Amino acid sequence: MVSHTRDRAQLILIGAITLAFIILGIVVVFNGALYTETLSSGGTTQSAGNADMVEYEVEQGVGCVLAELDDDLAGSLTTDHVKENVSDFDQAYQNTTAKSTPVAVNISVDNTFFSPLELDVTITYDSNSLSYEQEKTIEPDDCPTE
């Protein structure tokens, strides 16, 4: 009779250990699902933040190009000067950001009638999770001063 009680105790012990492993497995799977959900929703927020930063950098950069051109070519500033310098800035910006972010940014000048005080540009932003086109009017005042 002692042997029969021992067998029942061993069976209860094995059942308890099995139940503990099942509960542990469920917790690990549930935690993995929550972690994956957090990662998948976090990328969109980061892309939107990067897009805002790109827009801000382009606005300041083109504003500084306009301010520099206005200072250098005060009376003889032409549309060709501006388009050429904004195109150079676009190339430099693309080369600078190409290695750090998987994003394609393009800046194009929309002005047909040129005013040295403001410039209409279209900023095109393309990444694997976000794509948009933004039209901005940029002035030399958009360049930060020290």
Side-chain angles (χ1 to χ4, degrees):
M1 187 158 196
V2 174
S3 173
H4 189 55
T5 306
R6 245 190 219 171
D7 289 343
R8 191 176 301 166
Q10 287 176 349
L11 189 58
I12 291 173
L13 180 64
I14 290 172
I17 291 173
T18 304
L19 186 61
F21 276 114
I22 290 172
I23 292 173
L24 182 65
I26 291 172
V27 167
V28 168
V29 169
F30 185 67
N31 189 29
L34 286 176
Y35 180 72
T36 303
E37 183 180 337
T38 303
L39 283 181
S40 67
S41 66
T44 306
T45 306
Q46 187 175 0
S47 294
N50 285 344
D52 290 340
M53 182 58 74
V54 164
E55 186 178 327
Y56 180 71
E57 289 173 346
V58 167
E59 188 174 344
Q60 284 189 343
V62 173
C64 290
V65 167
L66 289 176
E68 189 69 29
L69 286 173
D70 196 31
D71 289 346
D72 291 347
L73 305 170
S76 61
L77 191 59
T78 66
T79 307
D80 291 336
H81 285 119
V82 172
K83 285 186 178 184
E84 181 181 330
N85 281 277
V86 170
S87 177
D88 290 346
F89 172 77
D90 181 34
Q91 282 296 110
Y93 188 78
Q94 287 177 3
N95 291 339
T96 303
T97 59
K99 294 180 182 172
S100 62
T101 57
V103 172
V105 178
N106 187 29
I107 307 162
S108 58
V109 178
D110 297 337
N111 287 42
T112 52
F113 174 74
F114 172 70
S115 167
L117 299 178
E118 60 183 36
L119 183 66
D120 295 329
V121 298
T122 301
I123 303 167
T124 307
Y125 179 94
D126 286 316
S127 73
N128 58 357
S129 61
L130 182 65
S131 180
Y132 79 95
E133 196 171 278
Q134 176 77 31
E135 293 182 13
K136 301 281 287 185
T137 299
I138 300 176
E139 301 174 351
D141 295 337
D142 293 328
C143 181
T145 56
E146 296 179 62

